[in-house]
Every structure is written in structure tokens, then in C-alpha cells.
Amino acid sequence: RRWCGRERERERENSLDKIPGTCPSDTAMAPLASVGRLAFAAAAVVASLCVEQSLAVKSDNIKYHEGLSREDKWKAVGHKGITLWMTGLSGSGKSTVSVALEQALVTNQPRPYFVYRLDGDNLRFGLNRDLGFSPEDRKENVRRVAEVSKLFAEAGAIVIAGLISPYAADRAYAREVHANSSLPFLEVFIDAPLEVVESRDVKGLYKKARAGQIKGFTGIDAPYEKPENPEVHVRTDQNTVTQGVNIILEQLDKAGIHLPRTFRPLDEPTEEPQCKSA
């Protein structure tokens, strides 16, 4: 199975159909009108093949098994699944806001929501305990969390995934994993200037990084590529935790995850009940 099985293959075929000279139905494979268009077509095909090759599974002896439909799962939960990808510098407030958001959704609503929080630090005690902080390990860290987030969202959970995820390409990968499965995804930029998060330094990591005791620390000697167009932007140096949560809740409302509910009618009884006299 490639990234998204048959869906991804159909999308690739549809995208090729739109590029003159690459459509399988072009009988003569006629030359393109210009070198520019040829270069675009070639680049699109190569990029698509490279992505598919990198995402190919390592065995041909497996099969994807279908079960309960996504729609049935969401109906049982009462809302659609979605992933909130919380990104930001260490100390920006990702975990603090995530925990408060989880509390708001589970305990502060008329009806509790199905929420699962994936904390970057917590995951390194289990799922990602074999990963360090090299660019390659960070990439794999994001890949694993993106796939787990997709599974939870598929089941109807509001997933709160809090990772530094410093590289824009890795965050784009997480978004694409969800897009290829037609699952909602919101990038949430938990933002605070470096001088602010360094002054907080709850874990004492910035002090160690400045002293050279930690190498490759994001924001000090490793880059953080800020989101250019996040769906949600929370400045924790300008907003309280409660205000930050409310900003996210407002955007979550706009995402349209609520499902319309109707009463289930009674079935006709096999025998009409008789009224008993008082």
C-alpha cells in the first residue's frame, strides 16, 4: 500500500491527466507546446514518483483491511475527528495550552468531547524513545506522530499534537498525511519571542544550550522555521492561557466538526400495549 492506497493512486492519475503530454490517454504523446511546460510536467512526474517511492511499504504480502466506516465512527462519537498540530519553540507554552484545551473540551462543555493529547516529550518515553534530535530523527518523530494522529482523527478524536516540529517541510508532511485521507487538520502556532521563552526556561534547557552542554537546540544553534500561514496563531507573550484556549476553540468551531443529530424514532411494537385502568 502506498501512502493512501487507491485514493492516492487515483489522485496521481487525475493530476497527470491535467498535464499535457503525461496523460496515459494521449495516444501519440504529442510534444508539449513549450519547454517550460515540458519541464513542469517532468518535474511533476518525478516528484510524484519520488514521493511514492519513499512511502512504499517494504512488503507485498500485506493487505489493507476495511472495518467500520469513518462516518459510523464519527456518528458514534458525535463529532468529526480533527488534528490540531501545536508547533512552537521549547517554552512557548505548547504543553500548557494543550492541557488547558484538553480540559476545556472534556470537562467544560455540556457534553464531553473525545480528545487525545499527544505530547512530544511524553511520546519520547515510549513510541519515540529510540529517536534523538538530529534533523533525521526529528523528521521521523513527526512522521510517526502524524500517522498516529491520523488514526485517532479517523476514529473521531480531537487530536492535540504538541511538538516543536521546527522544519516547515516536516509539518507540511503531517498536513499532507491528513489531506490524503480527507481529514481536517489545523496548524496551531504557539508563538513567543526567543527572549521570552529563554527567560521562562522552565526545564533549564536554554541555559544548558547557551553553555554548550546541549548541541542542536532549536532556537539557539538549530533553526526553527516559523509557520507562514497557520490556521491558528496564539501569542503566549500577549495572551493568557485561557485567552489562548478560547482562540483555538473559536477556530475549532469554524472547522465544522459538529454533526447534526436527530432523535431515533421508536419501532412499532409487535403488539400494541393495552392501557390499564387505574
Side-chain angles (χ1 to χ4, degrees):
R1 182 172 72 91
R2 301 226 190 272
W3 188 314
C4 192
R6 295 186 299 273
E7 282 188 16
R8 180 164 181 84
E9 188 62 27
R10 284 196 298 269
E11 289 175 2
R12 178 173 174 267
E13 291 173 358
N14 290 338
S15 67
L16 291 177
D17 287 344
K18 297 175 184 177
I19 303 174
T22 63
C23 177
S25 60
D26 288 348
T27 55
M29 295 298 286
L32 296 177
S34 68
V35 173
R37 291 169 66 191
L38 177 59
F40 173 79
V45 174
V46 170
S48 177
L49 292 175
C50 288
V51 169
E52 289 197 3
Q53 183 179 6
S54 66
L55 296 170
V57 296
K58 294 186 176 181
S59 174
D60 294 327
N61 302 318
I62 58 176
K63 177 184 177 182
Y64 194 84
H65 295 273
E66 302 290 344
L68 195 65
S69 72
R70 172 191 299 174
E71 290 71 22
D72 287 338
K73 296 172 189 174
W74 287 0
K75 285 179 182 177
V77 173
H79 57 80
K80 299 177 183 179
I82 188 172
T83 291
L84 306 176
W85 194 271
M86 319 280 277
T87 177
L89 290 170
S90 176
S92 61
K94 296 183 300 300
S95 294
T96 302
V97 173
S98 294
V99 170
L101 177 60
E102 180 183 40
Q103 290 283 346
L105 289 167
V106 175
T107 65
N108 198 47
Q109 306 302 318
R111 173 183 172 184
Y113 285 80
F114 175 25
V115 180
Y116 201 87
R117 184 171 53 86
L118 296 170
D119 184 271
D121 278 3
N122 294 355
L123 291 170
R124 288 181 178 274
F125 285 98
L127 177 67
N128 295 332
R129 64 172 175 242
D130 59 325
L131 299 177
F133 292 91
S134 67
E136 295 76 17
D137 280 359
R138 288 183 182 274
K139 183 182 184 71
E140 175 61 14
N141 183 47
V142 169
R143 188 195 71 81
R144 294 182 190 181
V145 178
E147 293 289 350
V148 171
S149 298
K150 182 189 77 171
L151 294 176
F152 272 101
E154 179 81 26
I158 298 174
V159 184
I160 306 171
L163 295 85
I164 294 175
S165 44
Y167 300 113
D170 294 343
R171 298 194 301 269
Y173 177 96
R175 181 186 296 275
E176 187 176 357
V177 165
H178 288 73
N180 286 341
S181 295
S182 300
L183 289 167
F185 180 95
L186 298 180
E187 186 176 46
V188 182
F189 183 20
I190 305 298
D191 186 15
L194 178 61
E195 59 270 18
V196 172
V197 298
E198 193 167 357
S199 67
R200 294 171 180 168
D201 203 13
V202 179
K203 304 174 187 176
L205 300 179
Y206 284 98
K207 183 178 180 180
K208 290 182 179 179
R210 290 293 187 188
Q213 298 173 11
I214 300 177
K215 301 296 184 182
F217 191 78
T218 303
I220 303 300
D221 58 347
Y224 178 76
E225 299 170 2
K226 293 184 178 181
E228 295 183 358
N229 191 30
E231 283 81 6
V232 189
H233 189 177
V234 177
R235 285 289 300 265
T236 58
D237 61 321
Q238 298 175 0
N239 295 280
T240 65
V241 173
T242 299
Q243 289 171 337
V245 168
N246 287 336
I247 290 171
I248 298 170
L249 289 175
E250 182 179 350
Q251 293 303 314
L252 194 55
D253 257 333
K254 294 178 181 179
I257 67 169
H258 296 99
L259 296 176
R261 301 180 67 85
T262 57
F263 289 111
R264 181 185 301 170
L266 291 173
D267 294 329
E268 287 291 340
T270 54
E271 292 184 8
E272 190 68 25
Q274 300 296 320
C275 293
K276 297 181 179 180
S277 59

